[in-house]
Amino acid sequence: MNAARKDTVLKDLIIEATKNVCTADDIMRTLDQRGAHTKYSELTQILAELVDDGYLMRARSNRYGHPEAFGCLAGTYCDTGRGYAFVRPESGAGEDVFIPPHRGKGSWHGDRVLIRVMQNVTTRRGKNQGKPNRREGEVLRILSQTRDDRTGCIVMRGKMTMFRDDTGKLPEIVVSKKHLADAHPGDRVALKVLFRGNDKYLPQGMVTKVFGSGLTLDAAAAAVLYEHGIESKFPPEAIQQAESIPLFVQEKDWAGRLDLRSQTLFTIDGDTAKDFDDAVSLETLPNGHYRLGVHIADVSHYVTPGSPLDEEAFRRGTSVYYADHVIPMLPLPLSNGICSLNPGVNRLAFSVFIELGKDGTRYSSDFHRSVICSYARLTYNQVNQMLAGDWKERHLRPDIAPILDEMNTLAKSLHAARMQRGALELNIPEAVIICDRNGKASGVEKRERGDAERLIEEFMLIANEAVAETLFRHQIPAVYRVHEDPDLEKLRAFASQARLFGYQLRERDLKDTRQLQRVLDQTAEKPDQQALPSMLLRSLARARYSPECTGHYGLAAKYYLHFTSPIRRYPDLVVHRMLTHMLDGGQSSRELSTLCEQAALQSTEREQAAADAEREIEKLYMADYMSQYIGHTFDGYISNITSFGVYVQLDNMIEGMVRVDTMHNDWFEYNPDRITLFGKHTGQNYHLGMRVNVTLVNASATTGMIDFIFTPEEGTVG
């Protein structure tokens, strides 16, 4: 065991051993009993580090314990921008702790802090007078500071030039003339904090990047990308390598590959897709089984380990998509060129052939590096029309239509088999931003999934499973896609909410995904219950990449990874390399395992950054689109409720908030258990799924905030 790993294991054991307050000698004895022998000097050093990091506290009697044992806790400082803050406990121990004004000890939003929890604040008004309402605390010390680079706008305060961050949750920061970098008042910029300030001096900072006018959507989007470490430009070395790759497949590259150019295979993608990394084919075998072919662009042939392209792809981890923009993982000469399975041109591919029964049972699979020529580029809309029997579309593709019918039959069998084994299907609608030729949002639509989308999804899923199981059984390292079982307490909270909608989930049902799916299926046709699938999603763990094959809860799959999109996901590229290594007769090695470990960590981090950026930028586009409708009324339903407001989702999937402080007709009390707001005087009860009518009062393309008020006299619509 290396030193870093040993240190981590010891820290975990010590934290476990100090659940009850104890001395260093007690901890030594516990470690010895568990076979983790260590020197006393090493133990005291680790204890000091754990105390410094806030994981343990030390009493004057030289006894150690978790902060909670001393009435304290560690957590994230969450400023509200209104003079007070909350601390979110990192241990998950209860609700957020209220930090009154002047009790933050100089903490900034995002800092990791250690706080002392005071006695509960009591309710001073209403029928619950005298009952505990919320925990209150004060910051003892800052354990670690949030990052020192932020985005925001340059503003003037008298003669002083200041920086105001986008969240409004940091103090304003002085920017001297020499640190302005040609920024002007009103510009959106990136800033590095030089000094946090103290009792005598204000915080100081320097501008590191200027995005443009703070009033433009483009500048706001650029700031979000910067915040998440997403860069659109490729380094010169990567561009140079990409441009050196031939525009067409070279005949010398075909050596040793399975020639599938005469096989009828084709791509099915969205109408606006530019890169095509998967094609499909289907044959019926003499024994009546299907032979499904999934053919994936062989990006690994062009992006070799350690090359400039590989290093940049590793750094990015994934492509980023928002509105009508894409920031690709690979330069366009690859992503839209030699690696894209465009119709009518030869392309190098990795082909997976899977033998499947009529009922979706997987019997065998084999893998080949291949050369293909896509027969056609089909869109989801075309295929959906053909599968629905549209005569015109079927007449245009008479050779493909029968194959699509068979594919659809197989896909439905695969789906039924997957659901039978316990997979979850949330069916949460997706909002699609429609942009005009100038890139401005001209509409927002709810994306409906048809048979074509489900067909491709099922084929990609079965291919991913086949590759995962093969690599696992051959003991070849890989980057797996894993999804841990959810926290039981979170599922209990979901069950509690489901009961309010009339669904009974017993304790044993919470461990059976089929019972959870039963509830989801019943909500599908009930608009007032569309909040439930989203609530279940929030109850689940987040899927991630891992070098360990621990299974996928949501798919009910024992073996799963990502293999089918190497143009836009780095883990898929690594998996292609591992599969090539296996086909060449290679064995497992420490070097390959380390590569997969590093790729899993980096890809998980970058995937999260991309998802957060996409979500934040799409909110900007939605707010920009809605800004033309200020003063208009809309119907929608309550999608979430918090102590400070009600989230309302319109029928076009756009979501905004009705803030409690705009609800002047009553005093509303928040019930976190039932997730309701109840009016003390009027008896008005706002609950999840409730249909309401709202008026748009604000929509900001620079912050993404959309504010509604309940339409007077028309708050509910039934």
Side-chain angles (χ1 to χ4, degrees), residues 270-320:
D271 288 1
T272 59
K274 300 291 192 301
D275 56 340
F276 315 118
D277 50 14
D278 58 86
V280 291
S281 61
L282 190 68
E283 304 170 79
T284 301
L285 299 174
N287 62 2
H289 291 172
Y290 288 116
R291 187 176 190 243
L292 170 66
V294 176
H295 314 274
I296 308 301
D298 189 0
V299 177
S300 63
H301 178 83
Y302 302 102
V303 182
T304 53
S307 65
L309 279 173
D310 182 51
E311 290 178 357
E312 183 63 11
F314 174 85
R315 189 185 69 80
R316 294 180 178 228
T318 180
S319 296
V320 180

Side-chain angles (χ1 to χ4, degrees), residues 341-362:
L341 306 183
N342 301 321
V345 293
N346 296 332
R347 289 289 185 258
L348 302 183
F350 225 122
S351 296
V352 180
F353 289 102
I354 308 170
E355 183 179 347
L356 297 158
K358 297 285 186 181
D359 60 355
T361 301
R362 176 159 55 91

Side-chain angles (χ1 to χ4, degrees), residues 539-703:
S539 303
L540 302 181
R542 188 185 297 276
R544 60 183 178 86
Y545 294 108
S546 170
E548 304 293 330
C549 183
T550 57
H552 196 292
Y553 172 83
L555 295 173
K558 187 176 181 180
Y559 312 99
Y560 193 70
L561 51 65
H562 281 163
F563 162 78
T564 54
S565 295
I567 289 178
R568 62 183 180 90
R569 291 188 305 227
Y570 193 77
D572 304 53
L573 176 57
V574 174
V575 166
H576 278 228
R577 291 172 181 163
M578 297 302 107
L579 199 54
T580 298
H581 183 72
M582 183 199 78
L583 293 176
D584 290 342
Q587 301 296 316
S588 176
S589 69
R590 181 63 243 173
E591 182 183 2
L592 292 179
S593 296
T594 300
L595 167 67
C596 291
E597 290 169 7
Q598 294 171 343
L601 286 172
Q602 171 73 358
S603 298
T604 297
E605 178 187 320
R606 297 317 303 160
E607 176 190 55
Q608 184 58 54
D612 290 345
E614 289 169 353
R615 183 172 58 253
E616 291 172 26
I617 294 176
E618 287 186 351
K619 285 182 179 179
L620 299 177
Y621 274 80
M622 289 180 179
D624 185 47
Y625 168 71
M626 289 297 289
S627 63
Q628 63 188 305
Y629 297 112
I630 290 177
H632 290 232
T633 61
F634 300 90
D635 290 338
Y637 76 93
I638 295 177
S639 55
N640 197 12
I641 299 175
T642 68
S643 60
F644 49 86
V646 175
Y647 287 93
V648 176
Q649 186 174 108
L650 308 184
D651 294 335
N652 64 0
M653 301 293 295
I654 291 178
E655 189 176 64
M657 173 178 275
V658 178
R659 299 183 184 277
V660 169
D661 54 20
T662 67
M663 300 161 64
H664 304 301
N665 62 326
D666 204 345
W667 172 262
F668 286 91
E669 294 181 347
Y670 174 59
N671 185 327
D673 296 323
R674 300 179 70 87
I675 313 185
T676 60
L677 276 180
F678 181 76
K680 259 184 59 62
H681 305 301
T682 63
Q684 175 67 63
N685 185 40
Y686 291 108
H687 58 84
L688 293 178
M690 182 178 185
R691 295 291 296 180
V692 293
N693 186 271
V694 293
T695 301
L696 179 66
V697 294
N698 182 53
S700 170
T702 58
T703 66

Side-chain angles (χ1 to χ4, degrees), residues 31-225:
L31 294 178
D32 288 341
Q33 290 169 4
R34 297 187 179 184
H37 306 293
T38 186
K39 296 178 181 179
Y40 193 84
S41 59
E42 187 178 14
L43 172 64
T44 55
Q45 179 182 340
I46 293 177
L47 284 170
E49 291 175 5
L50 290 171
V51 170
D52 286 343
D53 292 340
Y55 295 109
L56 295 180
M57 292 188 71
R58 184 178 66 182
R60 291 177 181 173
S61 56
N62 209 32
R63 295 163 70 84
Y64 296 87
H66 293 189
E68 290 80 4
F70 301 99
C72 301
L73 58 81
T76 303
Y77 190 83
C78 303
D79 204 307
T80 63
R82 301 179 182 180
Y84 57 89
F86 292 88
V87 168
R88 183 176 300 117
E90 62 187 28
S91 62
E95 295 183 356
D96 295 352
V97 180
F98 176 72
I99 308 296
H102 312 300
R103 295 282 184 87
K105 209 165 187 175
S107 302
W108 282 18
H109 182 72
D111 285 350
R112 184 170 174 265
V113 297
L114 182 69
I115 67 170
R116 177 186 291 115
V117 181
M118 318 297 285
Q119 63 183 9
N120 286 356
V121 179
T122 55
T123 305
R124 293 183 174 84
R125 59 192 297 180
K127 63 181 180 181
N128 293 323
Q129 182 176 350
K131 293 185 179 180
N133 188 10
R134 64 187 178 197
R135 293 187 296 174
E136 186 175 292
E138 64 177 351
V139 175
L140 296 177
R141 60 189 174 96
I142 299 172
L143 298 172
S144 60
Q145 295 181 349
T146 186
R147 71 181 201 275
D148 60 6
D149 60 314
R150 317 296 293 189
T151 62
C153 286
I154 297 296
V155 296
M156 297 301 296
R157 294 288 180 256
K159 294 184 178 181
M160 295 182 67
T161 306
M162 309 289 288
F163 168 85
R164 184 181 63 212
D165 87 297
D166 285 332
T167 67
K169 296 176 180 179
L170 296 184
E172 290 192 345
I173 299 169
V174 176
V175 185
S176 65
K177 288 184 178 180
K178 68 178 181 180
H179 289 146
L180 266 176
D182 294 327
H184 299 90
D187 282 350
R188 178 167 263 101
V189 301
L191 176 130
K192 181 178 177 62
V193 179
L194 300 176
F195 171 60
R196 277 197 167 204
N198 53 31
D199 293 338
K200 293 184 178 181
Y201 301 103
L202 294 171
Q204 307 280 327
M206 64 179 291
V207 172
T208 58
K209 191 176 182 67
V210 181
F211 301 115
S213 170
L215 299 177
T216 66
L217 176 61
D218 288 343
V224 171
L225 295 173

